Amino acid sequence: MDNLRFVLFVFFIFLSFLLWEQWQIDYGPKPPAVAQTENATPGASAGDLPQRPSDDVTGTAVRTESPTQEGSRRILVRTDVLSLEIDTRGGDLRQLDLLNYPVSKNQPDRPVRLLTDQGDIFIAQSGFIGAAQQVPTHHSIWHADAGEYRLQDGQDVLRIPLTWTDGQGVTVTKTYILRRGSYLIDMEQTIDNRSGSNWTGRQYMQLQRKEPTSPQEDSQFIRTYTGGVLHTADKSYEKIAFKDMADGNLDVKSRQGWIAMIQHYFLAAWVPPGEDESTFYTKALADRVFVIGAYSPPADVPAGSSQTLKARLFAGPKLQHVLEGIAPGLELTADFGILTVIAKPIYWLLEKFHGYFNNWGWAIIFVTLVIKALFFKLSEASYRSMANMRKLQPKLVELKERYGEDRQRYNQAMMELYRKEKVNPLGGCLPILVQIPVFISLYWVLVESVDLRQAPFLLWLDDLSSKDPYFVLPLIMGVSMFIQQRLNPPPTDPIQARVMQFFPLIFTVFFLFFPSGLVLYWVVNNILSIVQQWYITRQIEKTAAARA
């Protein structure tokens, strides 16, 4: 068992897992459609409202507004980084474009549309649930003073106020606050109670999304998580997949929590105020539409007074330093998996090199150099063991010919030869085993980091998050794997040896469709490994020749 075979085997298993995940996404079982009596259009019925808590039930009948399209219109809002549409029905955010993130290099004027009410629906909603009086929900009609708001030159803050009244003295003003250069949208809902009785209501905020019918990534081999996420003080970071929402409703109470719908590179997240305990919930609607949201404790507004409730909506890219400053754990939406503890230092190092070179390609190369240096001694031990195995190869072939098909006697003789020559057959594998978590962590850092999206390197490589358009890097990688294979001792089994010859070709085909940033890492890593292995092998051969 030698180094290369072990690495190839582990990597083959890793690729097989990725392909299995892709098959599950494309052809696996889908959450069953939930039978509903109401119209399936998001926001068209009261079925998508949060369930009113049982302790809110009183003897007084609850009055709610019937869903209606009458009087609704769109408010256009534009800042330097966002373009969005707010519907006066509910004050929903029904369309949101990320102006600094084009869909592709070939379409620089077409921004990524994160929120939409067309196709695979993804919208942000808010409102109130009440106990005994009429309250505004995301079905209510709100009034806006203007139909368009723009962040002007020299202006840092843009406020979009919407008002609702029950006609009996209660006025609610919902204000969205956007800031220059920010993807964070503050929401303030002020209840002005000029009626003759107390007003009580719970503020809710939710994301409504239809499960995507097709993968959103460009690469056939890169599949990242799309679905709900919950973060609480008790449960920390937890994925709430669409299937989980279909299986049952979530009902969790916590402080310092948030909910989100995430996808590759981008997310939308509602962050309730952390000082109060919020209730986090999910609902499954018709036609594979799902809701994840949170509502606050009851807010009591005495007659003749007012109160303001707040929440924050982040809708934008997974910029980790930005997310860290918004809410605890929000940066985890850049999902590095179970190896986050290793991946975060790698991302930090990648950022440091990018700050120096201002080029993510060179950052990847120098991170590879650092990782290779850190594991230099382990790699050295592995390559020395491999070189010693190569030196024993003629004797192993002789044993194979001597004992033929008698596997037991052959294995005994082989182990005796290892003891005599003081060679550990596992010496080439164990050092590599330690490095596998680092390799996988770097893989997810390169896949999940929005910083590398459409980032250019050199010459024809103008997007490190997409495949090499001319397949130059994958071909170089295949050649480097072939050279590494030639440096290793061939298997004594002729069938296994023939199979191993096809491995460089197989992995070259795989890497044809991988993001060029990942292929760049493997090419640099392979080249460094070849140099190191060649040098160590030459040293051992010289020593053996001198002794002879």
Side-chain angles (χ1 to χ4, degrees):
M1 186 179 187
D2 60 72
N3 188 3
L4 180 61
R5 288 201 293 271
F6 180 74
V7 173
L8 293 178
F9 175 76
V10 172
F11 192 59
F12 183 77
I13 295 298
F14 183 52
L15 285 176
S16 300
F17 176 73
L18 292 179
L19 291 173
W20 178 83
E21 282 193 324
Q22 175 191 345
W23 187 92
Q24 287 291 104
I25 293 172
D26 294 338
Y27 305 107
K30 302 295 183 183
V34 180
Q36 299 283 349
T37 57
E38 66 268 2
N39 191 312
T41 302
S45 69
D48 59 355
L49 289 168
Q51 183 69 37
R52 188 157 49 89
S54 58
D55 55 359
D56 280 0
V57 176
T58 65
T60 307
V62 177
R63 295 190 293 149
T64 60
E65 295 184 81
S66 299
T68 177
Q69 293 282 353
E70 296 179 5
S72 67
R73 61 189 176 94
R74 294 294 175 93
I75 303 168
L76 305 181
V77 181
R78 190 178 181 95
T79 70
D80 57 327
V81 296
L82 293 174
S83 176
L84 56 144
E85 292 184 5
I86 302 173
D87 200 323
T88 55
R89 178 171 58 86
D92 295 350
L93 275 68
R94 289 192 161 257
Q95 183 173 300
L96 186 143
D97 294 340
L98 306 175
L99 301 179
N100 290 342
Y101 291 87
V103 170
S104 68
K105 286 271 190 177
N106 299 328
Q107 298 173 297
D109 297 327
R110 182 187 168 199
V112 168
R113 179 156 293 175
L114 181 59
L115 301 184
T116 180
D117 58 357
Q118 304 294 323
D120 289 339
I121 297 158
F122 187 10
I123 56 179
Q125 302 170 315
S126 60
F128 291 89
I129 49 178
Q133 68 284 312
Q134 184 171 295
V135 295
T137 69
H138 62 270
H139 300 298
S140 305
I141 298 298
W142 297 70
H143 172 74
D145 294 331
E148 184 174 352
Y149 294 83
R150 285 181 175 269
L151 189 69
Q152 303 297 329
D153 292 341
Q155 184 182 5
D156 292 327
V157 180
L158 186 63
R159 302 176 70 90
I160 300 96
L162 307 170
T163 57
W164 171 92
T165 180
D166 65 353
Q168 299 178 6
V170 175
T171 301
V172 179
T173 302
K174 184 200 302 271
T175 304
Y176 291 110
I177 305 170
L178 293 84
R179 293 176 172 81
R180 181 175 296 278
S182 177
Y183 299 96
L184 183 65
I185 302 172
D186 289 315
M187 183 184 71
E188 297 178 352
Q189 298 199 91
T190 301
I191 305 101
D192 186 16
N193 185 7
R194 300 302 169 185
S195 68
S197 59
N198 292 349
W199 184 96
T200 302
R202 296 174 183 261
Q203 175 180 247
Y204 72 86
M205 61 240 49
Q206 64 183 32
L207 298 166
Q208 188 171 139
R209 181 163 193 171
K210 184 174 184 178
E211 182 183 14
T213 54
S214 59
Q216 298 178 343
E217 289 76 27
D218 295 331
S219 173
Q220 300 178 34
F221 295 98
I222 301 298
R223 291 292 181 266
T224 55
Y225 175 75
T226 297
V229 172
L230 167 69
H231 189 280
T232 62
D234 299 329
K235 292 193 174 183
S236 190
Y237 184 89
E238 180 182 4
K239 293 178 181 177
I240 312 294
F242 294 118
K243 183 179 183 301
D244 299 327
M245 299 182 201
D247 291 341
N249 293 337
L250 178 73
D251 186 8
V252 174
K253 291 180 171 59
S254 178
R255 299 176 188 269
Q256 297 292 341
W258 49 264
I259 51 93
M261 287 280 190
I262 69 173
Q263 62 192 54
H264 196 198
Y265 294 134
F266 307 105
L267 79 151
W270 276 113
V271 183
E275 60 270 14
D276 297 324
E277 183 180 70
S278 296
T279 300
F280 300 93
Y281 63 89
T282 61
K283 291 189 75 173
L285 308 179
D287 196 25
R288 298 189 353 269
V289 177
F290 300 91
V291 171
I292 185 168
Y295 61 78
S296 68
D300 297 315
V301 185
S305 64
S306 64
Q307 184 175 341
T308 299
L309 303 179
K310 298 181 180 181
R312 293 178 294 169
L313 172 69
F314 182 89
K318 298 177 183 177
L319 299 169
Q320 295 185 53
H321 291 313
V322 174
L323 297 176
E324 287 173 354
I326 294 174
L330 195 57
E331 75 280 0
L332 295 176
T333 53
D335 191 1
F336 298 150
I338 60 174
L339 297 174
T340 297
V341 66
I342 302 175
K344 277 199 169 186
I346 293 176
Y347 176 76
W348 175 85
L349 188 61
L350 198 65
E351 274 195 317
K352 291 298 182 183
F353 280 121
H354 177 262
Y356 185 78
F357 294 106
N358 197 31
N359 184 296
W360 288 105
W362 287 114
I364 291 172
I365 290 174
F366 276 86
V367 165
T368 310
L369 287 168
V370 170
I371 292 175
K372 200 67 180 174
L374 289 174
F375 288 105
F376 179 82
K377 285 298 181 182
L378 282 174
S379 299
E380 183 182 36
S382 176
Y383 295 144
R384 286 190 179 279
S385 177
M386 197 181 314
N388 288 327
M389 288 290 293
R390 185 182 183 89
K391 188 175 64 173
L392 293 181
Q393 198 66 22
K395 296 181 180 179
L396 291 173
V397 172
E398 182 182 341
L399 291 178
K400 180 72 174 177
E401 293 174 351
R402 181 185 306 174
Y403 295 107
E405 299 300 323
D406 192 341
R407 299 293 300 177
Q408 183 175 357
R409 294 189 64 189
Y410 169 71
N411 289 333
Q412 290 175 348
M414 182 172 59
M415 296 307 296
E416 180 63 30
L417 177 64
Y418 288 154
R419 282 193 294 269
K420 180 180 178 181
E421 299 290 339
K422 298 180 181 180
V423 173
N424 182 2
L426 296 180
C429 303
L430 296 180
I432 295 299
L433 185 62
V434 178
Q435 302 178 49
I436 293 298
V438 177
F439 296 156
I440 296 175
S441 298
L442 181 59
Y443 169 88
W444 284 114
V445 167
L446 298 180
V447 166
E448 276 288 317
S449 298
V450 68
D451 315 75
L452 273 72
R453 183 181 183 271
Q454 299 179 6
F457 178 36
L458 293 174
L459 303 175
W460 74 97
L461 293 174
D462 61 349
D463 184 359
L464 290 171
S465 65
S466 297
K467 66 182 181 182
D468 185 332
Y470 303 110
F471 307 117
V472 175
L473 275 182
L475 292 176
I476 295 175
M477 200 245 8
V479 172
S480 68
M481 288 189 68
F482 176 78
I483 295 173
Q484 274 191 298
Q485 193 176 71
R486 300 290 293 178
L487 291 173
N488 294 329
T492 55
D493 185 348
I495 297 178
Q496 185 182 5
R498 283 196 296 270
V499 171
M500 290 292 293
Q501 290 176 355
F502 289 98
F503 266 58
L505 177 62
I506 293 171
F507 281 92
T508 298
V509 173
F510 274 127
F511 275 88
L512 290 177
F513 306 99
F514 267 57
S516 54
L518 287 172
V519 186
L520 177 63
Y521 161 74
W522 282 103
V523 167
V524 175
N525 184 71
N526 282 0
I527 292 174
L528 293 174
S529 298
I530 289 170
V531 173
Q532 186 180 9
Q533 187 173 356
W534 176 83
Y535 176 77
I536 291 173
T537 302
R538 286 290 303 274
Q539 292 298 108
I540 290 178
E541 288 176 350
K542 285 182 179 179
T543 302
R547 289 176 179 175

